[in-house]
Amino acid sequence: EWNNFARTFDAAKLVWSVIPGKTTMTAFVSSVVTIRGTTSGDSWKFDRSSTDDLFSGVAISHKLSADDTLETYAFWRDKKDNSPIYTAATVAIPAPARSAAAYDIGQDIYTLGARFVRAPKPGHIDAEFEGAWQGGHVNRQTTTFTGPYGGSAAELDQNAWALHSSIGFTPEGGPGKMRLDFEYNVASGDSHRTDNRNGSF
């Protein structure tokens, strides 16, 4: 249930310089590599990716000026089920559901977002703003109908958002490349576990 293996993907990526030096589009599709024991006991499967768990997207980066960049993106995660499922002996999950606690829930989620970046420059104010919204649906963490993680519907409608902002200033001739920074982040969160909707980004 715990290991040192980093998450790895088999992926294909296409980068297109739409306007050389100014606008670039990147498209990709990937599948997470899973680590599974075989039923025959001969070996472990370390290098098998699966079409049951795909992550893909398109991102466009546009240089507004020498210092300013605007990025827009659309991402899609399609995971067919809640596997792998591990036992959960903790009290955070109701006892009837501990044998079916999902490590990574099944989901069909798309994320739409945009990001503006003004690069740090001595004597100037820099900034970074990003906003993203998610729709689609996700599976429940467990198959139980009781407890705070249970419910009547197997799937939840996804409706979540997140915002990021950062403003900084780099004094000219400051010691050690000093930069002053203010950052604020906020996301929707899910306040009702029983309304068949998921607001967690």
Side-chain angles (χ1 to χ4, degrees):
E1 297 182 11
W2 183 90
N3 60 53
N4 287 320
F5 299 106
R7 175 156 280 198
T8 307
F9 294 83
D10 286 337
K13 183 174 72 170
L14 173 68
V15 180
W16 178 29
S17 182
V18 183
I19 303 176
K22 194 166 188 178
T23 305
T24 302
M25 184 182 77
T26 302
F28 69 92
V29 60
S30 64
S31 176
V32 67
V33 175
T34 57
I35 299 171
R36 296 170 292 170
T38 59
T39 54
S40 61
D42 54 352
S43 64
W44 284 84
K45 297 178 181 177
F46 286 98
D47 57 353
R48 308 288 177 89
S49 61
S50 171
T51 54
D52 290 337
D53 189 357
L54 296 175
F55 179 53
S56 55
V58 175
I60 297 175
S61 177
H62 179 70
K63 294 286 289 184
L64 300 173
S65 67
D67 300 321
D68 298 347
T69 302
L70 177 64
E71 301 170 348
T72 56
Y73 53 83
F75 298 143
W76 176 49
R77 174 87 186 277
D78 182 26
K79 187 173 187 291
K80 302 299 184 188
D81 53 42
N82 285 17
S83 61
I85 295 176
Y86 305 110
T87 57
T90 64
V91 296
I93 296 172
R98 289 177 192 167
S99 62
Y103 169 75
D104 189 9
I105 59 176
Q107 55 196 274
D108 183 6
I109 287 183
Y110 48 89
T111 303
L112 305 176
R115 176 174 176 255
F116 169 82
V117 178
R118 173 166 291 170
K121 192 175 181 181
H124 292 77
I125 293 176
D126 59 85
E128 182 177 315
F129 302 101
E130 183 171 4
W133 175 81
Q134 287 182 334
H137 63 265
V138 299
N139 290 355
R140 287 192 178 274
Q141 186 180 15
T142 74
T143 56
T144 184
F145 293 101
T146 61
Y149 292 89
S152 57
E155 289 183 345
L156 305 175
D157 291 330
Q158 178 77 6
N159 188 358
W161 53 266
L163 297 174
H164 159 73
S165 60
S166 175
I167 297 177
F169 178 72
T170 303
E172 217 165 351
K177 297 182 180 179
M178 182 178 67
R179 176 176 174 272
L180 307 174
D181 176 90
F182 173 79
E183 183 174 335
Y184 182 76
N185 300 281
V186 63
S188 50
D190 189 70
S191 56
H192 302 286
R193 288 192 179 276
T194 58
D195 63 357
N196 292 332
R197 287 180 294 183
N198 182 50
S200 295
F201 190 80

